Amino acid sequence: MGSWRVERLDQLPTALLATIMTKLDISSICSLAVTCRAFNSCASHILSFLPNFHILDISPSMELIKSLMPPNSHLQSLKLDCGQLNDSSIELLLRPSLQELCFHNCADFSGKLLSEIGSRCKDVRSLYLGSVAEKRGRAIHISDLEELLGGCTQLEELNLMFDLSLFLRHNFARVWALTSKKLTSLEIGYISSVMVTELLSPNVGPHQYPNQIRPSILPAIQKLSLAVDYITDTMVGTISKGLALLTHLELRDAPLIEPRVTFDLTNSGLQQINQHGRLKHLSLVRSQEFLSTYFKRVNDLGILLMADKCANMESICLGGFCRVTDTGFKTILHSCSSLYKLKVCHGSQLTDLVFHDIAATSLSLTHVSFRWCNLLTNHAIKSLVRNTHLKVLDLRGCKNLGDEALAAIGSLCELKMLQLDNSDISDVGIAYLQHGIISSLVSLSVRGCKKLTDKCISVLFDGSSKLELQELDLSNLPNLSDNGVLALAKSRVPISELRMRQCPLIGDTSIMALASMQADDDRGHGSNLRLLDLYNCGGITQLSFRWLKKPYFPRLRWLGVTGSVNRDIVDALARNRPFLHVACHGEELGTDPWNNIDSSYMHDYEELDELEQWLQEGEWESDDEEMEDAEDDADVVVE
């Protein structure tokens, strides 16, 4: 910004500057604060009366929070990644005025966080707590949960994304009896099915007369989302009967051992779903996280019995129903006329015949997911795309889909997300996208499509279309080389998330190209990348790390590398960029799907990350020297 512009900004009335800046988020305010003295002064002032304070893309330190959170009686919404915080920050964070609290990554907090929220934030209406006390040595007591539920009497939405199965069962239901009667949405990260059944069961309470039936503890619940050890008939029946206002039900289990019949879902359990007729959204998923297991006691009859009560369903997700055939899935399509979202995972008996007469239905599907449905072929997709308003299409693991499927998909002009992992597509098929949906796509994944080569990049990004693509997954492509990445860099597409893990031909040249990449808005080198996954890329050496430090990749928040390249250099990079999540063990990058409750939280960043620059000016030189020392040490080792 020129000096004449700075002078003009200095002359603007302070009240006008404050009015403008209060419309911005924290990162944008910090961006303005470093541009001139007037904005810096105004930023410091408005932080004392902002109603919203949201920082979820970095893990701020206690010192940073102190700088940005002065006393503020107007603060209503606080959302933070608490990865660097602990109990010592509770007094600073919790304000009586808060109505919305969202704390991710609270592993270093103890149960004191719960009890203090209950005593300090009486008016909170929406509460999200993730990973509380997961760090070794931290603990949560039932009394902490009791103070939280008893103190927050205005709660309407509660998300406890940690393990609640550790609490003693005999006190659990008694404590939940204190819950706000206004609570309409409840999500729990993990809880045993027995605890859920006891919590919601209308049985005789511990301090009641024998003939006295306990009323529902959660009478107003409309949305319930639980991860449990086992999805059982008893639990499903108790939920369906006890929660009369339920419209959303999401249940997910991940058995450690093959469930017995008394701890499993059967046709009888499905028949009990939606007893009150209000259910609009249903998700029943058996995860393969620990054991390759399925709902083996559910078949087409169970789906038929469920469909009789689910005619008004709008969204259905079924995962692990290995005995359900085309008959069951067709029943859903033909019975649920309002259905717009359909997800099937591990549908091992789902075939093309399900979609043969889909045109005869009144469906207008917009979100479709068929993951690991290996019997589907190109013919199914040709029928499916008659739903011309499809916006999300997830076909991961459908190995028999090829270029003909892409030719059909290319006609979907409203498609925003397309996932084709491990399919049989080739560069020829990718060309069909270039002439159709590529201009509308925001997210594309071709992970594990082993026929693809560098040519698919040049075909997709030939410059003939204005692209909105923000997320691209090119992982596990054995024929993708630096030449493909060079073509991507030249295209100037403003990609914010790029995954290229397990690509043996990707090397230092790709990193240099991406570091020099400029998007069409000419806002700096590597300007838009917020996530870059390079795990186990065969050609990455210590040279790449020189291009991964400041000032390159200024917006980078997630980086995946192979720690064995050189641990000292990786550690030095992490210290050089304290707000960068560096993953070295092959873990998938980005926000956990269970924690992704704020997908609308997106920022526009300037050429440098001013949030860091504002508070850390003067640290660059020492950090760069530290990385150079690590690189020199690595050179000695190599020699």
Side-chain angles (χ1 to χ4, degrees), residues 106-107 109-111 113-114 129-135 140 161-162:
C106 303
F109 285 85
S110 70
L113 176 62
L114 277 68
L129 298 175
S131 308
V132 179
E134 289 187 356
K135 189 172 182 179
I140 308 176
M161 304 310 296
F162 50 90

Side-chain angles (χ1 to χ4, degrees), residues 621-638:
E621 292 184 7
S622 61
D623 287 336
D624 286 347
E625 289 172 2
E626 184 180 4
M627 280 204 68
E628 288 168 4
D629 291 341
E631 290 168 1
D632 292 340
D633 292 342
D635 290 336
V636 172
V637 172
V638 171

Side-chain angles (χ1 to χ4, degrees), residues 271-311:
Q271 189 177 10
Q272 299 180 68
I273 287 175
N274 201 23
Q275 293 185 29
H276 299 282
R278 291 187 171 90
L279 204 61
K280 299 290 186 182
H281 305 272
L282 174 67
S283 177
L284 300 172
V285 175
R286 175 149 288 173
S287 169
Q288 315 294 306
E289 184 177 356
F290 305 113
L291 182 70
S292 182
T293 183
Y294 305 89
F295 292 112
K296 297 178 181 178
R297 297 177 174 91
V298 173
N299 55 28
D300 292 336
L301 176 61
I303 300 297
L304 291 170
L305 294 172
M306 181 185 76
D308 285 341
K309 298 180 180 179
C310 296

Side-chain angles (χ1 to χ4, degrees), residues 459-471:
V459 168
L460 274 177
F461 307 111
D462 66 352
S464 62
S465 302
K466 177 70 174 178
L467 304 183
E468 299 181 20
L469 197 66
Q470 298 175 19
E471 301 174 7

Side-chain angles (χ1 to χ4, degrees), residues 373-413:
C373 298
N374 291 324
L375 297 182
L376 293 183
T377 72
N378 298 327
H379 297 292
I381 307 307
K382 291 178 181 178
S383 299
L384 183 62
V385 298
R386 293 172 183 171
N387 286 270
T388 57
H389 297 294
L390 276 173
K391 292 180 172 58
V392 175
L393 187 55
D394 182 354
L395 301 170
R396 282 177 281 181
C398 298
K399 298 181 179 180
N400 293 318
L401 300 184
D403 294 339
E404 289 183 40
L406 279 180
I409 293 170
S411 65
L412 298 171
C413 59

